[in-house]
Amino acid sequence: MTKLKWGMIGGGDGSQIGPAHRLGAQADGLFEFAAGALDHRPVEGRAYAQRLGIAEDRAYGDWREMLEGERDRADRIDLVTVATPNSTHFEITKAFLEAGFNVLCEKPMTLTVEEGEEIVRVAEASGKICAVNYCYSAYPMVRQARAMVRNGEIGKVRLVVTNFSHGHHGDATDADNPRVRWRYDPAMAGVSGQFADCGIHALHMASFICDDAVDRLSADFASTIPSRELEDDAMVNFRMTGGTVGRLWTSSVAIGRQHGFDIQVFGETGGLRWASEQPNQLISTPVGGRTQIIEKGEAGLHEEARRLSRVAIAHPEGFPLAVANIYCDLADAIRGETRDGLPGAADGVRSMAAVHAAVDSARQHGAWVDARPPMFR
Ligand code: NAI
């Protein structure tokens, strides 16, 4: 099978998420890294792209140049990843979809709900794929959890509890550090800080495993470091369409917690627990029974988890391979195979609606508000 051609915007030298995309896209030999506009500084971006092996004529200085350069090529890219800061996602994603490219956009997909709905419409009209990088949903044992819930193995889900709380912005003396400060500045980050950054991963995960959508929510936001305009800690209660009760805590000042993303799903006949720091294990307890550890790579997993377990049982698989699973699903989808677990533009706009609903609720001291985007009401 010939490799698909892949390009990336953002993810330049020293960026946080760029390496995970490069490892992920190329892990299975499905994509060839063919084009890039990797940096907000054109000269550095071109030079870095060439250092990574991209041909000189496809090492672009900015995304508009890349769009023009790729548009009419016979061997144009099959997929572009948008891994730039949040405020640029909308215009880049929209422009590439309109020009007929498949897109993988980093989260949050947009800054506003209106922009999110626009992306859903543009993706539909173009017939192209618009995926959003909720990569935690691609860990094999998360897919296993979703398959177990769908298969009725824990009964109807009553309650889901999830945290994405780390302590990496907990040092008040660091609050002025430019790499930290923008995250809590509305001019740069939008209406929400920590909830839009990490909370939406947890909310997406709850929807993904429970196979249900978030309907309404009530939020309490706090800026525990007073110089921060946006929240660095949030507690969000929510309800899903099927009646499941949801609790979500997200924080960036939880000193001592490292990655800090975990989820527990409690059904009528059992409970499941997964944590990003032990991603190869799913903890399962049937009602009245013993707790079991289900391991990635063991016999008898659901097909959704089995097909994404790459190396033998007990050999750890981590974050870049979860991202690689997103690229596997994308390669299949580009070749016309339906991939049910791939997060898309609808997930992206649901997250934006939840972010804006949470901001609204927090301003009204936790009032319950509709968390659905207007297009899905
Ligand atoms: P970063 O600040 O570390 O890197 C951003 C990169 O984009 C830099 O190389 C910069 O030069 C480049 N860039 C900026 N504007 C550009 C433009 N107009 N054209 C081309 N390149 C441009 O940011 P980081 O942390 O890598 O985040 C990027 C995106 O990835 C954000 O939207 C963030 O929310 C998301 N992210 C997602 C994660 C996930 O788990 N899915 C984890 C970390 C980040």
Side-chain angles (χ1 to χ4, degrees):
M1 211 183 314
T2 53
K3 286 188 184 186
L4 296 165
K5 295 201 163 35
W6 171 64
M8 180 155 74
I9 301 168
D13 199 4
S15 66
Q16 188 188 172
I17 199 66
H21 281 286
R22 286 191 287 279
L23 290 166
Q26 297 174 100
D28 297 278
L30 296 170
F31 290 93
E32 173 195 337
F33 194 13
L38 305 181
D39 203 291
H40 65 287
R41 300 159 303 172
V43 174
E44 283 80 354
R46 284 194 195 100
Y48 188 52
Q50 288 177 65
R51 281 214 303 285
L52 293 173
I54 291 177
E56 194 180 347
D57 64 328
R58 298 178 92 173
Y60 299 102
D62 69 57
W63 68 266
R64 288 187 178 83
E65 192 183 306
M66 177 160 156
L67 184 62
E68 291 318 310
E70 292 296 311
R71 196 193 286 274
D72 298 322
R73 287 185 77 105
D75 62 347
R76 72 185 210 156
I77 48 173
D78 299 288
L79 171 71
V80 63
T81 294
V82 180
T84 49
N86 305 353
S87 60
T88 61
H89 293 175
F90 171 66
E91 65 170 347
I92 302 176
T93 297
K94 182 168 183 259
F96 274 83
L97 284 170
E98 282 173 343
F101 292 92
N102 298 302
V103 179
L104 170 61
C105 181
E106 261 307 342
K107 47 56 63 176
M109 183 175 80
T110 58
L111 291 185
T112 69
V113 183
E114 294 73 24
E115 288 169 354
E117 292 194 340
E118 173 84 0
I119 293 291
V120 172
R121 282 191 288 268
V122 170
E124 267 170 21
S126 70
K128 293 291 153 185
I129 297 161
C130 179
V132 180
N133 194 30
Y134 287 113
C135 47
Y136 299 99
S137 65
Y139 275 106
M141 301 321 285
V142 172
R143 298 279 172 102
Q144 171 75 10
R146 174 177 159 105
M148 288 175 74
V149 169
R150 281 184 162 182
N151 203 34
E153 290 170 49
I154 63 166
K156 182 172 166 21
V157 177
R158 292 171 173 149
L159 176 65
V160 57
V161 180
T162 181
N163 304 298
F164 197 155
S165 294
H166 63 78
H168 300 297
H169 305 152
D171 182 354
T173 62
D174 203 30
D176 236 15
N177 172 343
R179 293 207 69 155
V180 175
R181 195 179 51 219
W182 73 264
R183 296 168 183 279
Y184 304 98
D185 176 355
M188 301 286 286
V191 292
S192 161
Q194 177 63 13
F195 185 65
D197 191 29
C198 294
I200 61 171
H201 271 302
L203 204 67
H204 176 263
M205 179 73 87
S207 294
F208 185 80
I209 293 181
C210 298
D211 202 13
D212 201 354
V214 175
D215 235 29
R216 57 194 200 282
L217 59 76
S218 156
D220 178 29
F221 278 14
S223 303
T224 66
I225 294 184
S227 60
R228 290 178 177 164
E229 221 174 305
L230 298 176
E231 85 289 353
D232 54 17
D233 186 280
M235 189 66 89
V236 179
N237 285 307
F238 57 94
R239 296 289 185 277
M240 302 183 112
T241 311
T244 299
V245 173
R247 319 270 184 216
L248 183 158
W249 172 47
T250 186
S251 186
S252 65
V253 295
I255 294 170
R257 289 180 62 114
Q258 292 303 325
H259 195 255
F261 185 11
D262 54 56
I263 187 161
Q264 288 188 269
V265 185
F266 303 102
E268 288 171 341
T269 61
L272 297 172
R273 178 150 54 97
W274 180 85
S276 68
E277 291 173 37
Q278 291 84 36
N280 303 316
Q281 300 183 331
L282 180 67
I283 314 295
S284 168
T285 310
V287 64
R290 288 211 174 103
T291 294
Q292 297 180 330
I293 299 175
I294 305 173
E295 291 274 353
K296 171 209 64 90
E298 73 179 34
L301 296 180
H302 283 285
E303 174 57 17
E304 293 88 326
R306 194 208 52 75
R307 60 175 274 273
L308 296 178
S309 302
R310 296 121 178 296
V311 292
I313 186 165
H315 292 290
E317 289 183 33
F319 185 75
L321 287 186
V323 177
N325 292 338
I326 294 281
Y327 281 93
C328 284
D329 282 354
L330 271 165
D332 289 345
I334 291 168
R335 294 193 160 112
E337 208 174 312
T338 313
R339 278 293 170 215
D340 167 60
L342 185 63
D347 299 287
V349 71
R350 281 189 190 281
S351 297
M352 288 330 297
V355 165
H356 284 265
V359 171
D360 229 30
S361 167
R363 283 187 187 139
Q364 299 176 61
H365 310 289
W368 282 86
V369 296
D370 199 325
R372 298 166 300 171
M375 73 180 349
F376 296 142
R377 285 182 191 167

